[in-house]
Amino acid sequence: MMNDVLLEIKNLRTYFKLHEGILKAIDGVSLAIGRNRVLGIVGESGCGKSVTARSILKLVPAPGKIEGEIWFHGGEKPVNLAALPPTGNAIRDIRGREIAMIFQEPMAAFSPVHTIGDQISEAIQTHQSLPKPEARGRTIEMLKQVGIPIPERRVDNYPHQMSGGMLQRAMIAMALSLRPKLLIADEPTTALDVTIQAQILRLMKRLQAELGMSIIFITHDLGVIANMADDVAVMYLGRVVEYGTVRQIFENPQHPYTQALMQSIPKLGSKGRGRLASIEGTVPVPLDPPRRCGFADRCVHFIPGRCDADVPPLIDTEAGHQVRCILYE
Amino acid sequence: MQNGSKALIEVRGLKKYFPIQEGLLRRVVGHVRAVDDVSFDIPAGKTLGLVGESGCGKTTLGRCIVRAMEPTAGEVILRVNDQEFDLTKLSAKELRAVRPHIQMVFQDPYLSLSPRKTVLNIVGEPLYINKVAEGRALEQRVRDLMDLVGLDVKYLNRYPHAFSGGQRQRIGIARAISLNPELIICDEPVSALDVSVQAQILNLLQDLQREFNLTYLFIAHDLSVVEHISDRVAVMYVGKLIEIGDTEELFQKPRHPYTEALLSAIPRPDLSRPMKEVTLEGEVPSPANPPSGCYFHPRCPYAKDICKHEAPPLVDMGNNHFSACHFAKELDLQGVGE
């Protein structure tokens, strides 16, 4: 098993000390990402999915503090990323080269005053001593690989000259230009139209198979998760509330939150126009959260004295399927 | 198009062209045809869903109907209280008298509410401006509205920043229904919301529709949401309406290749239905420089020679289902199934 694991997160806690109190954005997350696997992290805004991704690369803004362990098994020896200084050379060598990230807003991720080609070449040259013409050649090669037409011309485009979909392809090209072992994709298609999203999803699948990398795919869209992920972690209020293979999560969702989430989305092709099963209330803010199940206030199965007594443990319900709910004790 | 006399609103040949200016003298060198000859009706108490990708003109269309933008040409006939108004012909003063019948709900609940006004002021403002109520009566009416949309009345004097996205959208809806409108134009009302909150707002919109016989023009890009809430659906592509039909028929048996492609591109939360391979290559063309003939032909898998030269008209396929495709009758297109 250990050989197959690329990244292992153990009891990760990312807290932000604010003057209103401690914001526990991530409160004890443990996850493992296998080699050549796609881990989907699904949850609503504020559940901690993006902070988890940023914690891995030590990109959490001040006053965020990371505790716990993040073991990366990409090199000869495992490295605990959580223990590395966020501005040191060790993490900088890993960022981009071993673990790359793509973001939701491609417009915001590129500098508007440099060409796409210069920015991708710079990323390559930062990590490899490559002469400029060769870096440019590699850039064009990458742009071609992500399906950008006429890459020899596009390489000299500025970001504003490209559409959202093309720019997202360029960002994928930049992220993959150094052949990372792990790609973190944080809502990479949320800002795109549905036909362009389909193109990007297909591209990511193809590249994952070709390059043999692992992907952490973060999204709030259950449809995207079903199509992309091998394993799924459902997050709520800074914790993983359910974890399993994509089949286990979609065919046998067990946590009341996962079940409610699946029922609250309108299903295509369902003829009835009745009311949707909605989840009452809103996602709370984890400011000095009490030690209890985070979903207790909105849960239809709430048991007074049990759910609000302590944080429920992650319980194994079947092989590889874990649920953080006392109903399964 | 459909027993016209009963429709609450009739849009006829609506156009909105934005001039492209160039040079020192701002010479007009062309037009962006954001909305290009669009016609449809919505009967009272029904919902028309309007879908399309970004830049297809759906928001511009919504804004032209309320005349937040001046349409270039066309008619927008509104029938209320046995009277008929062509909104595009009304003077500013006449328009003010008709405006209470048409309201809007916006996409971004963070940008559409003034941060410097309390809920009382935001929801009460239309009532005050239209001299419907003031003082105590106004406050009572705002309380009733808050109750109606599921907001706790004790937050009457709070500012928008104290509310979550879903609650803000409820404030926006309370404001929209404050004057008992007939028609509400909902422009992506749930796309900024979390999944679990989205269902609450969709349910609220449906409840209000039933209670007050509201008519909705529901603009959205999320097709599963549109299928859920709409009686009829219209599909736009580069400023033109390319298909319109009853929801179930359009989703099960689309008659335009673009609609088929849109439906097939939706990733579904269902492992037995993996994403299909029939998806579109390329991108939406610019409405400033659209392709010749049928605007969709460069991306269309079924395109033939005629598509390059002739723009297909919107043709009745029977059953009140219209499609703008030369081969609409011959093609056997795939819907969402089930």
Side-chain angles (χ1 to χ4, degrees):
Chain A
M1 176 69 188
M2 278 311 291
N3 260 340
D4 297 336
V5 174
L6 182 66
L7 189 86
E8 220 180 339
I9 301 172
K10 284 184 181 166
N11 198 18
L12 181 70
R13 277 157 288 136
T14 304
Y15 294 171
F16 294 80
K17 255 197 196 112
L18 309 174
H19 67 259
E20 297 99 318
I22 298 178
L23 186 95
K24 299 189 172 178
I26 304 178
D27 201 8
V29 163
S30 300
L31 281 171
I33 298 112
R35 285 178 210 275
N36 280 327
R37 302 280 287 182
V38 179
L39 171 71
I41 302 183
V42 65
E44 297 177 274
S45 48
C47 74
K49 53 193 196 300
S50 290
V51 181
T52 304
R54 285 165 183 270
S55 298
I56 295 171
L57 285 173
K58 305 279 290 190
L59 291 172
V60 175
K65 274 200 74 136
I66 301 171
E67 286 171 46
E69 296 165 42
I70 303 169
W71 289 98
F72 180 62
H73 301 278
E76 284 167 20
K77 273 192 297 191
V79 194
N80 182 7
L81 304 179
L84 298 177
T87 53
N89 283 334
I91 189 77
R92 284 198 174 134
D93 278 347
I94 288 171
R95 266 185 216 145
R97 178 149 65 188
E98 303 283 348
I99 305 177
M101 186 158 177
I102 55 178
F103 301 90
Q104 174 171 354
E105 283 290 341
M107 256 329 173
F110 279 103
S111 158
V113 296
H114 297 97
T115 64
I116 299 290
D118 282 349
Q119 294 183 60
I120 299 178
S121 300
E122 188 193 356
I124 296 172
Q125 287 180 303
T126 304
H127 291 282
Q128 290 176 359
S129 51
L130 216 62
K132 212 170 178 190
E134 277 166 48
R136 187 184 157 89
R138 174 91 77 84
T139 302
I140 293 171
E141 182 56 35
M142 282 312 299
L143 292 177
K144 195 172 160 192
Q145 205 169 1
V146 296
I148 291 182
I150 338 174
E152 311 78 35
R153 286 239 304 272
R154 285 297 200 168
V155 69
D156 294 321
N157 274 180
Y158 287 89
H160 73 89
Q161 293 171 300
M162 298 176 99
S163 67
M166 279 300 146
L167 218 46
Q168 193 59 284
R169 284 174 192 265
M171 185 149 67
I172 293 172
M174 174 145 75
L176 301 186
S177 60
L178 289 152
R179 298 285 150 98
K181 297 191 176 73
L182 175 64
L183 177 69
I184 303 175
D186 189 358
E187 304 260 11
T189 58
T190 306
L192 305 176
D193 277 315
V194 58
T195 59
I196 308 298
Q197 164 172 285
Q199 294 171 8
I200 297 288
L201 293 180
R202 184 143 344 101
L203 170 72
M204 290 183 70
K205 269 194 148 163
R206 197 193 85 213
L207 291 173
Q208 194 238 345
E210 278 176 21
L211 304 176
M213 58 180 169
S214 307
I215 300 180
I216 299 181
F217 202 107
I218 297 170
T219 178
H220 67 279
D221 188 329
L222 288 165
V224 172
I225 285 281
N227 279 282
M228 292 300 289
D230 301 310
D231 306 299
V232 180
V234 183
M235 285 190 71
Y236 191 80
L237 212 62
R239 297 197 187 97
V240 174
V241 295
E242 185 163 0
Y243 176 87
T245 63
V246 71
R247 198 154 284 283
Q248 286 167 336
I249 297 291
F250 279 89
E251 286 175 0
N252 183 21
Q254 293 182 328
H255 197 280
Y257 174 64
T258 316
Q259 293 170 348
L261 205 57
M262 298 220 178
Q263 280 159 13
S264 69
I265 45 175
K267 297 243 170 16
L268 270 181
S270 53
K271 284 160 196 150
R273 285 185 53 212
R275 289 173 65 86
L276 291 166
S278 69
I279 309 176
E280 290 306 312
T282 50
V283 183
V285 176
L287 252 185
D288 294 319
R291 285 201 62 77
R292 56 190 297 209
C293 171
F295 189 58
D297 293 335
R298 307 175 74 189
C299 186
V300 286
H301 303 292
F302 175 65
I303 306 169
R306 297 276 281 118
C307 298
D308 49 6
D310 201 356
V311 179
L314 261 182
I315 297 162
D316 284 289
T317 52
E318 54 186 314
H321 195 171
Q322 298 168 315
V323 185
R324 196 182 282 283
C325 179
I326 56 152
L327 292 175
Y328 298 90
E329 265 178 7
Chain B
M1 215 182 258
Q2 65 194 62
N3 30 6
S5 57
K6 278 190 210 138
L8 176 88
I9 185 154
E10 261 181 67
V11 174
R12 288 285 164 268
L14 197 70
K15 289 180 185 172
K16 176 67 186 174
Y17 292 178
F18 295 98
I20 306 168
Q21 295 167 330
E22 216 177 73
L24 193 63
L25 298 171
R26 316 300 295 152
R27 200 159 42 91
V28 175
V29 293
H31 285 94
V32 174
R33 300 175 176 207
V35 175
D36 200 3
D37 199 6
V38 167
S39 304
F40 59 82
D41 305 341
I42 318 178
K46 299 287 183 191
T47 301
L48 176 72
L50 183 62
V51 299
E53 294 180 278
S54 47
C56 74
K58 48 194 199 298
T59 293
T60 305
L61 175 60
R63 301 209 162 171
C64 284
I65 290 174
V66 292
R67 261 182 82 186
M69 276 177 186
E70 288 298 325
T72 308
E75 293 173 4
V76 178
I77 315 264
L78 182 76
R79 291 197 186 85
V80 279
N81 309 333
D82 298 322
Q83 281 180 290
E84 250 187 57
F85 307 93
D86 180 353
L87 297 180
T88 59
K89 307 270 185 316
L90 299 182
S91 69
K93 201 176 157 201
E94 292 165 321
L95 190 63
R96 221 170 296 143
V98 181
R99 273 258 169 79
H101 298 298
I102 315 176
Q103 294 292 316
M104 254 185 119
V105 174
F106 298 93
Q107 169 169 8
D108 193 328
Y110 292 86
L111 294 177
S112 57
L113 305 177
S114 166
R116 296 169 57 162
K117 289 184 179 163
T118 61
V119 177
L120 175 62
N121 287 333
I122 290 169
V123 178
E125 193 169 28
L127 298 165
Y128 183 77
I129 288 175
N130 287 285
K131 302 191 175 67
V132 175
E134 36 177 37
R136 279 278 162 78
L138 182 124
E139 195 178 311
Q140 189 50 50
R141 175 87 179 118
V142 172
R143 280 172 194 274
D144 293 346
L145 285 163
M146 286 179 77
D147 207 37
L148 210 57
V149 298
L151 283 168
D152 196 325
V153 289
K154 72 178 182 228
Y155 299 139
L156 190 67
N157 289 307
R158 289 221 186 163
Y159 292 88
H161 71 83
F163 295 93
S164 68
Q167 288 170 318
R168 285 176 197 224
Q169 206 54 305
R170 288 178 195 268
I171 298 172
I173 292 171
R175 174 175 63 185
I177 61 170
S178 62
L179 293 168
N180 296 321
E182 319 286 328
L183 174 71
I184 299 184
I185 295 177
C186 306
D187 190 357
E188 302 268 11
V190 296
S191 53
L193 304 178
D194 272 318
V195 191
S196 72
V197 179
Q198 173 178 303
Q200 295 172 8
I201 298 298
L202 290 175
N203 284 341
L204 173 65
L205 286 171
Q206 284 186 319
D207 292 345
L208 293 172
Q209 176 167 52
R210 225 164 286 138
E211 197 165 337
F212 300 108
N213 196 34
L214 294 172
T215 308
Y216 292 142
L217 175 62
F218 193 96
I219 302 170
H221 67 278
D222 185 331
L223 288 141
S224 41
V225 167
V226 167
E227 187 195 26
H228 177 75
I229 201 151
S230 310
D231 299 290
R232 267 171 88 72
V233 176
V235 186
M236 274 182 91
Y237 190 73
V238 201
K240 284 183 188 279
L241 213 59
I242 54 114
E243 183 167 3
I244 179 168
D246 289 345
T247 306
E248 200 183 321
E249 196 178 295
L250 187 130
F251 275 76
Q252 295 301 335
K253 191 99 192 56
R255 306 303 288 260
H256 194 287
Y258 177 62
T259 312
E260 179 190 51
L262 266 187
L263 295 174
S264 77
I266 308 167
R268 301 167 71 166
D270 183 349
L271 298 179
S272 59
R273 296 171 178 280
M275 234 162 44
K276 288 175 197 142
E277 284 301 314
V278 206
T279 42
L280 289 182
E281 290 305 319
E283 305 191 0
V284 180
S286 157
N289 185 21
S292 62
C294 172
Y295 289 175
F296 187 57
H297 86 258
R299 303 174 80 192
C300 183
Y302 311 103
K304 298 225 168 71
D305 238 16
I306 180 174
C307 306
K308 286 181 197 154
H309 309 301
E310 257 177 68
L314 203 58
V315 175
D316 193 350
M317 310 294 299
N319 209 9
N320 228 338
H321 192 154
F322 295 77
S323 164
C325 174
H326 291 300
F327 302 102
K329 288 208 164 72
E330 291 128 66
L331 292 173
D332 181 28
L333 302 175
Q334 293 296 307
V336 295
E338 206 162 346

